[in-house]
Amino acid sequence: MTTPPAPKQRIQITGPAGPLEVLIEPAQDPGGPLCVVCHPHPQYGGTLDNKVVYTLARAANELGAIAVRFNFRGVGHSAGEFGQGVGELDDLLAVVAWARAAYPDRSFHLAGFSFGAAMALRGHVAADAASLLLVAPPAGMGYLDEAAAPQLPWHVIHGSRDELIGLDTVRRWLARVAGPLPPLTVIDEADHFFHGRLTPLREAARVFWSQQMPACLDTTGGAD
């Protein structure tokens, strides 16, 4: 008989500006990897319940990872107010430190969507991530201006019809980034929020993570 997955847990942890709301999706494998996913811009409705963030977390969870989502300061039940990207990076690193302590001795993977992708990129070195997945990174919006190519496996997923961050803008940003460029997966007919295109997004994330995470426990797909 297959053991049912443990239920999700919503908790609060200590953050730099007060409590941070965290959602944990445990995995069946007690020694599986750990993955933290960052949500889009707090001032434009981004939360840990965003459907793209949910899709990424589920993809990681299906591959045997403990998936951790959280609300940046001032969002949901997280205390504080928008920190211009500086405070949000501090939030991310606080969540990573907590998650590593709660689930030690695991490979750690980091991902983010839109603004969350910028935070993941900024924080991946301090977080000591084993891999980095950026979905719709906000090229041309100021958050990636100082970025250099990560020295770890990384991947970019973008929609061909992204109306907020044009695919050409992302390609130009990648061309300016020093060092080897990451593979870029373009999801056909996808807008910024991947309306109706969550399944291809999920599969693209699974392809990347199945090569980076030490265990791939589930091969089932999903639907939008």
Side-chain angles (χ1 to χ4, degrees):
M1 179 180 295
T2 301
T3 302
K8 298 178 183 178
Q9 305 173 51
R10 281 188 187 256
I11 65 171
Q12 287 190 319
I13 68 168
T14 300
L20 289 172
E21 183 179 9
V22 176
L23 190 153
I24 308 116
E25 293 179 87
Q28 287 181 260
D29 182 356
L34 175 65
C35 182
V36 170
V37 184
C38 303
H39 72 69
H41 206 295
Q43 293 189 308
Y44 298 96
T47 78
L48 65 79
D49 293 306
N50 171 273
K51 66 181 182 179
V52 172
V53 175
Y54 168 84
T55 297
L56 295 175
R58 290 300 301 142
N61 196 234
E62 289 165 359
L63 293 174
I66 297 167
V68 175
R69 296 178 264 157
F70 68 100
N71 276 330
F72 287 119
R73 59 185 62 194
V75 176
H77 295 292
S78 291
E81 58 186 26
F82 182 59
Q84 305 299 323
V86 177
E88 286 71 26
L89 177 57
D90 290 341
D91 294 342
L92 167 59
L93 296 180
V95 171
V96 170
W98 171 85
R100 282 188 172 281
Y103 305 101
D105 303 320
R106 301 164 188 268
S107 69
F108 173 71
H109 305 265
L110 189 56
F113 166 48
S114 195
F115 173 87
M119 296 302 100
L121 180 58
R122 288 184 179 184
H124 77 278
V125 174
D128 193 24
S131 76
L132 178 65
L133 178 60
L134 309 179
V135 177
M141 294 187 173
Y143 293 108
L144 302 177
D145 290 349
E146 304 302 320
Q151 302 303 303
L152 81 173
W154 65 304
H155 195 89
V156 175
I157 302 174
H158 209 78
S160 67
R161 294 190 173 183
D162 192 315
E163 73 284 8
L164 298 181
I165 305 160
L167 178 58
D168 288 345
T169 301
V170 171
R171 291 188 189 277
R172 287 193 296 270
W173 170 67
L174 288 173
R176 292 195 301 269
V177 172
L181 296 182
L184 169 64
T185 296
V186 177
I187 305 298
D188 290 339
E189 305 301 318
D191 62 13
H192 185 67
F193 293 98
F194 296 86
H195 294 303
R197 302 296 287 159
L198 292 176
T199 295
L201 169 65
R202 184 175 182 161
E203 291 308 309
R206 286 169 62 93
V207 167
F208 173 65
W209 277 329
S210 67
Q211 299 168 352
Q212 308 304 327
M213 294 181 177
C216 180
L217 299 183
D218 181 24
T219 58
T220 60
D224 286 11

